[in-house]
Amino acid sequence: MPVYGISVKEILKRTVIVEAENVEDAVRKAEEAVECEEVILDVDDFDDREIVPSEYWGGGQGS
């Protein structure tokens, strides 16, 4: 029976409120908060799931 590599990707998403001078500064502050682990996404932040053939298996099918 053939085998297949299937990738499961789950996307987490959270909107954070940031005080900043402009949008670029707000993005930078959010990135810093994530890097410093002030913002940690968890299961409650689930947004979407994608299940597709693995790109590492030549379209999903193995030998």
Side-chain angles (χ1 to χ4, degrees):
M1 179 176 296
V3 296
Y4 297 87
I6 305 299
S7 295
V8 179
K9 181 191 305 185
E10 293 188 334
I11 299 170
L12 306 178
K13 178 174 75 174
R14 178 186 305 172
T15 299
V16 295
I17 307 304
V18 179
E19 288 185 21
E21 296 294 322
N22 54 50
V23 69
E24 292 83 9
D25 189 37
V27 169
R28 183 186 57 77
K29 287 181 176 187
E31 288 173 344
E32 289 174 358
V34 170
E35 289 173 12
C36 294
E37 297 183 356
E38 294 172 13
V39 175
I40 299 174
L41 303 183
D42 60 28
V43 68
D44 293 330
D45 298 303
F46 177 81
D47 183 57
D48 196 12
R49 177 179 297 127
E50 180 180 325
I51 301 174
V52 296
S54 174
E55 65 271 16
Y56 301 111
W57 273 53
Q61 186 167 0
S63 51

